[in-house]
Each structure stands twice: as C-alpha cells, then as structure tokens.
Amino acid sequence: MVRYRTDTRTRTVEKAARIIFSLCAFTAVAAVFSITIYMIANGVPAVLQAGWKEILFSSVWQPAAQEPSFGILYVILTSVVGTFLAVLLGVPIGLFTAVFLAEAAPGWLAAVIRPAVELLAGIPSVIYGVLGMMILNPFMYRLEQRIFADSWTHQFTGGANLLSAVIVLAVMILPTVISISEAALRAVPPELKASSLALGASPVETIFQVTIPAARSGILAAVVLGVGRAVGEAMAISLVSGNAVNLPLPFCSVRFLTTAIVSEMGYAGGLHRQVLFTIGLVLFVFIMMINGILSSILKGEKRQ
Amino acid sequence: MSQSKISTDKLNLYYGAKHALKDITIKIRSNTVTALIGPSGCGKSTFLRSLNRMNELTDGVRMEGKVYLDGEDIYGPKMDVTRLRKRVGMVFQQPNPFPMSIYDNIAYGPKVHGVKNKEKLDEIVERSLKQAAIWEEVENQLSKTALGLSGGQKQRLCIARALAVEPEVLLMDEPTSALDPVSTLKVEELISRLKSQYTIVIVTHNMQQAARVSDDTAFFLMGEMVEFDTTARLFVHPADKRTQEYVTGKFG
Ligand SMILES: Nc1ncnc2c1ncn2[C@@H]1O[C@H](COP(=O)(O)OP(=O)(O)OP(=O)(O)O)[C@@H](O)[C@H]1O
Ligand SMILES: [Mg+2]
C-alpha cells in the first residue's frame, strides 16, 4: 500500500512555496501597474498645462526660448518613420536569412550563421552606436557631399542623419526577426511542404507559396517584436542620428522619442521636464499598442 | 494480369546503413487499387515514396534498382521530377490543406504547372471537387479558408487537390487513419469510384479496408515484400505462412 506523506512539515513547505510563487508573480504585475500609473501621472500634467495640440501637433521644439514651444510632432514622426524604414529594410533581410537557415542552409553553414545571429543579439546597443558613428556616418557624409554638392539650402550633418539611424536599427532588429521567423518556419508541418512538392512544385515555389504563408502569424509576431525593439532603442541611435529636431528626411539630423528623453532629461526643469515625461508617455502608448497587436496575433494563431 | 502501370525491379533502398527496402519487384496493374499492408516500420511508406521520388528529399537515402512508369525509368536522366510528380500524385496520412482558401488549394497544382486562365481554373476546381465528392459541401464557400473544414472534408479536399493536376497514379499513405468511421467510408467509396480513371496505391493498417477497396494486395515485412497477389487470394489462401499469420491477426 502507498502511504501519502501528509505530515504538517510537508504541508507548511507547500504553503510557503505557494506564497513565495504568488509574491514573485505579483512583483511583475505590480511593476507594470505602477509604471503605467507613474507615466500617466507625470506625462499628463504638461499636456494639461500647454495643451495637447501644442505638444502633439506642433513642430516647433524650443524649450529654452523666451516663449518656449514644446511641439514634438517631428519627434513622433521621426520615431514612426525611422522605425518603419528600419523594419522595411531589416525584415526582408531577416526573413530571408530565416528561410535560408530553416530550409536551405547546409548544416555547417547554419552552424556558423546561427551563433553569429545570437551574438548580434548580445552586443550592447552602445557598441552599435559607436560602430555606426565610426563607419556609417563618414560614409553617409561622403554621400551627402555628393548629393547636395550644389544645394544652397541643405544643412550638412556630417553624416549623422536619419538613414544612419535606420540602418543601425535595421541591423539591431535582425536577431529578433531571424530567430522568431526561423522558429515559425520550422514549426510548419513537413507534410505540408511535402504536399506541395508532391504536386510538382519546386522548392522555391513551395517556400514562397506554402511555407511562408503557413508561418505567417509567427513571422508577423517577429515583425511586431522587431518594431517594438526599434521603437524602444535609444543609445545606439542617439550616437548616429545627429540629435536635432527635424522633419524625418533621409539626410537630415533627427531626434527620436527615446533620444529626446535621453539627451535632455539630465538638465531639463519645470514644464520642459514635464514635456519629456509626456514624450515618455507617447512612447509608452506606442509600446502598449505594439504589445496589443502582438497578443491579438498570437491569439489568432491559437484559434487556428 | 493486365497492362502494368508501375513496376519495380529489384528495388533496394537504404537510409544510411539501414536497409529499408529489399529487392522489391512488383507489377502494379493499371486502373486497379493496390493495397500495401504490413506491420509498422516494414517499409510501406518508404516504398510508396520511391514511386514519386519523394525519398530524394530525405538526407542520406541511397537507392538501387529500377522503378518504371509506363515502362519509363522514373529515376532515369530523361525523367523530369516535376512532370513525374504531376503524373503520380500523393495523399498523406494527416489531412493537410494549405493555409489558403478552398479554391486556391485546388488551383495550386494547376497554377504550378502553368494554368493561368481563370475560366480553366474554375473548371478544374469544380471538376476536382466533384470527383472527390466534396463539391456539394463546399461549393458556397470556395473563397473561405480550407482550415475551417472538418477532418474528413479536409482529406477529401486533399484528394481533390491531388486530382486537380490530372495525375495517372494516386499514392495514398494511410489516408483514413486520422478520420472517423463515417469519413473513412466516404473516402473508401471515393477510392472505389476513382479507380476507373486512376491507378491507386494505398497503404493501410486496416485489413478490412484493404479487403474492401483493393484488387491486389502486397504484404511487406521488414523491408521485404513477402507476398503479392490478388486481394481475394491473398486474404483467403495466402501462400506464405507469415502472410497468413498477419492477415488473421496473429501478429503486427
Ligand atoms: N528518414 C528516415 N531516416 C532513417 N530511417 C528511416 C527514415 N524513414 C523511415 N526509416 C526507417 O525505415 C523503415 C521503414 O519505414 P517506413 O516509414 O517506410 O515504414 P512503414 O511501413 O510506413 O511504417 P508505418 O506503418 O509505421 O507507417 C523503418 O524501420 C524506419 O525506421
Ligand atoms: Mg508509414
């Protein structure tokens, strides 16, 4: 006969463990909750004081002027456009790398690429920034000199421009896009691919018409996570983007939501400081939206 | 025996060191259903896949011997794999429609083979779905995703998908093992009906099914083809003792 241990000591341990688990789980929830409260509490006052139109829809950012103006429209646009372009550049490269790793690469080559991708994910963002400064910016500057040689109006940036930031961001989202899309591609049932091949389709036709569509929700999740990574990045792009508030045009110096906070929080005071919190709130809302989209994608996938 | 559609001559297949098919020589008659039976791991699927060169997709496979389709060596230098697979279609164990609409599932094969004309495609889709006895159930939802169908409907859709490229041979690997009894019956009826136009080779673990749908049966054991005969004879008067033990349920 089996004798169950129901002595008090076991039961006390069980109870204690349960309490510890719950407390730990609660920490995360409490953190998210308090961050939300904090962001709203600190981000909203500036909006009330200066007016939401003046902040969100004005393009003049002159916080230190006699009559200060706190328009962050260009900053928002820069984050949106910069992220969009980075995704436009990074996702195809990442997706094709993933396809190559999942479908085509011989074992030894995959064994070289995969650790390289993982390493890419582990490199601190400041390193990306420094490298971008040393390699990308000089290159962009030369390009800029060529393109705007005859221009009277162009403000030369020394190569610290939107394009540099976009390229750095595109590289930074690669690991996320590659690893998540590769996992999604690998999860496609082999019989599905076999069915396509058995109909006489070529391997390439099969990849584009069957495998990728079958993995689309995973790939979409990869894209959304890539967007999240790009929107939230600050350090690397603050080093390469020139950090001036401008309309996001390729060869203009620009300032992102993140870099706006980073570069001014140290000395800002009063309303200026509060507007920086509003910028933080805008960023926070973006991230929340991205998370919302992601979870609805994942939910949709489960339903299938 | 009448005209053979597919024949193999001393077919041997190895997965690395594993000898999975041993000297298989068989003549599969045109417009018949041939059942492949035998215990798990005896090489039925491997044999089936060697008839449309799907084994080539597996790493480390080595093959010896010949496979002929209408007398033509399918592993010969003149045979184009794409053409071969158009002529020899395949249905898998798990119903696995592509993640696209019902219409697109059926049109996929013809499109791959160059059919672009919309009317022609419409016609193919309707004909294939009718042939697979699923037209009535889906004719009003052709543009809906195929993933919403029931298991049995999905499998008939997969059969329709295979028929859409107008194959001559249909290979089916345990096509009903994931289906409920009613759906199984529908697929079996379908198979019996299709054999007037196609040559069908079906792998099954179900003795009754083999007896019901097939004209000829081959019994495989550990990579060898122990016995090949008309289904009537093989089930009633098997020549080999091992066949008798298997079909009477003594092992496997
Ligand atoms: N890709 C592979 N690599 C190595 N060995 C394999 C591979 N596929 C099959 N085998 C081996 O070859 C033998 C025959 O396999 P096969 O799948 O053809 O059997 P089967 O008769 O279809 O079995 P089941 O009834 O379980 O489907 C088995 O011993 C199996 O382990
Ligand atoms: Mg099998």
Side-chain angles (χ1 to χ4, degrees):
Chain A
M1 222 182 86
V2 185
R3 285 202 22 215
Y4 293 99
R5 301 210 320 162
T6 52
D7 50 294
T8 37
R9 223 193 64 187
T10 327
R11 246 184 291 159
T12 321
V13 171
E14 287 282 328
K15 226 183 241 170
R18 189 167 301 185
I19 290 171
I20 291 171
F21 290 146
S22 317
L23 275 178
C24 292
F26 183 71
T27 312
V29 177
V32 170
F33 189 70
S34 51
I35 288 172
T36 311
I37 299 287
Y38 185 84
M39 290 312 299
I40 294 173
N42 287 281
V44 170
V47 178
L48 296 179
Q49 198 173 328
W52 60 279
K53 272 187 200 156
E54 294 308 306
I55 292 182
L56 294 182
F57 292 105
S58 154
S59 57
V60 186
W61 176 258
Q62 280 173 347
Q66 275 295 338
E67 273 182 40
S69 171
F70 298 102
I72 61 169
L73 181 63
Y74 282 172
V75 181
I76 295 177
L77 280 181
T78 299
S79 269
V80 172
V81 172
T83 302
F84 177 75
L85 292 179
V87 166
L88 207 64
L89 183 65
V91 165
I93 297 174
L95 180 58
F96 285 148
T97 309
V99 167
F100 181 65
L101 284 176
E103 300 284 333
W108 65 269
L109 197 53
V112 174
I113 297 175
R114 215 169 281 123
V117 170
E118 275 159 27
L119 213 61
L120 210 55
I123 294 173
S125 66
V126 65
I127 304 286
Y128 282 98
V130 171
L131 286 180
M133 236 167 101
M134 287 179 350
I135 300 166
L136 218 49
N137 286 356
F139 174 77
M140 283 296 165
Y141 187 43
R142 250 181 285 152
L143 216 58
E144 189 181 21
Q145 284 171 318
R146 277 263 183 86
I147 296 173
F148 297 98
D150 305 321
S151 165
W152 296 95
T153 49
H154 182 72
Q155 280 218 334
F156 280 86
T157 63
N161 57 25
L162 178 69
L163 272 188
S164 296
V166 163
I167 292 172
V168 167
L169 283 178
V171 174
M172 290 183 77
I173 66 171
L174 278 183
T176 313
V177 175
I178 293 173
S179 59
I180 295 177
S181 343
E182 192 198 343
L185 290 168
R186 282 191 185 282
V188 174
E191 282 196 345
L192 205 59
K193 299 177 214 165
S195 292
S196 168
L197 295 167
L199 284 166
S202 72
V204 173
E205 285 168 328
T206 302
I207 285 169
F208 281 99
Q209 297 184 44
V210 172
T211 314
I212 291 180
R216 71 191 149 201
S217 56
I219 292 170
L220 224 59
V223 173
V224 173
L225 281 175
V227 171
R229 173 110 214 249
V231 168
E233 176 49 39
M235 200 60 225
I237 51 176
S238 77
L239 292 175
V240 300
S241 64
N243 209 14
V245 179
N246 273 314
L247 196 65
L249 294 172
F251 284 94
C252 286
S253 288
V254 289
R255 190 178 292 182
F256 291 77
L257 289 167
T258 47
T259 55
I261 302 173
V262 168
S263 57
E264 293 179 21
M265 196 53 106
Y267 62 84
L271 184 58
H272 182 191
R273 187 181 169 83
Q274 285 182 320
V275 173
L276 293 184
F277 277 108
T278 308
I279 294 179
L281 182 60
V282 171
L283 191 62
F284 187 71
V285 169
F286 274 149
I287 297 289
M288 282 300 163
M289 279 177 355
I290 291 164
N291 271 304
I293 294 170
L294 183 64
S295 66
S296 68
I297 290 174
L298 295 181
K299 232 184 265 160
E301 180 168 33
K302 228 179 247 160
R303 236 184 296 117
Q304 279 193 356
Chain B
M1 286 202 175
S2 63
Q3 180 71 38
S4 78
K5 184 73 187 172
I6 296 181
S7 58
T8 68
D9 186 21
K10 291 215 165 57
L11 182 63
N12 280 279
L13 190 141
Y14 305 83
Y15 291 111
K18 161 117 193 149
H19 196 173
L21 292 178
K22 301 173 188 164
D23 277 339
I24 310 288
T25 301
I26 192 173
K27 283 192 164 62
I28 292 169
R29 293 186 290 155
S30 196
N31 295 96
T32 58
V33 177
T34 302
L36 308 179
I37 60 170
S40 194
C42 66
K44 305 179 295 291
S45 300
T46 303
F47 177 71
L48 203 67
R49 284 198 302 266
S50 67
L51 303 183
N52 66 344
R53 290 177 58 172
M54 289 297 279
N55 280 328
E56 287 175 2
L57 305 171
T58 312
D59 286 335
V61 168
R62 194 159 55 79
M63 222 199 77
E64 293 160 3
K66 300 274 188 217
V67 180
Y68 300 100
L69 175 66
D70 287 334
E72 201 180 345
D73 181 2
I74 70 165
Y75 288 88
K78 267 185 276 166
M79 181 59 73
D80 171 37
V81 174
T82 302
R83 293 283 309 157
L84 170 71
R85 293 190 182 142
K86 182 181 176 304
R87 293 173 65 189
V88 183
M90 193 166 209
V91 175
F92 296 77
Q93 180 173 2
Q94 286 296 329
N96 54 359
F98 299 135
M100 40 178 103
S101 73
I102 293 172
Y103 183 97
D104 289 339
N105 261 277
I106 309 298
Y108 182 85
K111 276 185 186 162
V112 160
H113 294 286
V115 179
K116 293 206 181 72
N117 184 298
K118 171 87 172 104
E119 275 155 37
K120 184 88 176 66
L121 284 172
D122 287 351
E123 193 185 301
I124 292 174
V125 168
E126 181 170 345
R127 173 182 53 77
S128 310
L129 288 169
K130 277 182 175 159
Q131 270 188 316
I134 188 181
W135 173 251
E136 273 91 40
E137 290 157 72
V138 299
E139 67 177 310
N140 295 319
Q141 43 172 327
L142 292 178
S143 58
K144 286 215 190 107
T145 171
L147 302 179
L149 297 172
S150 75
Q153 288 175 324
K154 279 183 187 163
Q155 191 63 308
R156 277 177 286 143
L157 181 81
C158 291
I159 295 173
R161 181 176 68 188
L163 296 178
V165 297
E166 300 181 45
E168 299 156 32
V169 179
L170 206 52
L171 308 175
M172 307 176 115
D173 196 347
E174 303 186 41
T176 62
S177 67
L179 306 185
D180 63 276
V182 176
S183 305
T184 298
L185 201 67
K186 281 192 183 156
V187 171
E188 286 182 9
E189 284 168 10
L190 181 59
I191 291 170
S192 306
R193 210 145 26 78
L194 290 175
K195 80 173 174 190
S196 61
Q197 290 180 59
Y198 305 91
T199 303
I200 296 172
V201 185
I202 178 174
V203 171
T204 179
H205 274 282
N206 181 331
M207 293 305 121
Q208 285 83 22
Q209 182 169 70
R212 276 195 301 265
V213 302
S214 72
D215 304 288
D216 296 340
T217 298
F219 172 57
F220 281 69
L221 191 61
M222 286 160 46
E224 285 178 63
M225 191 173 75
V226 173
E227 191 165 350
F228 176 52
D229 211 332
T230 61
T231 303
R233 234 186 337 242
L234 188 131
F235 275 87
V236 183
H237 301 293
D240 196 292
K241 193 154 172 298
R242 292 168 293 175
T243 314
Q244 180 180 7
E245 285 174 356
Y246 186 74
V247 297
T248 53
K250 292 231 173 69
F251 72 88

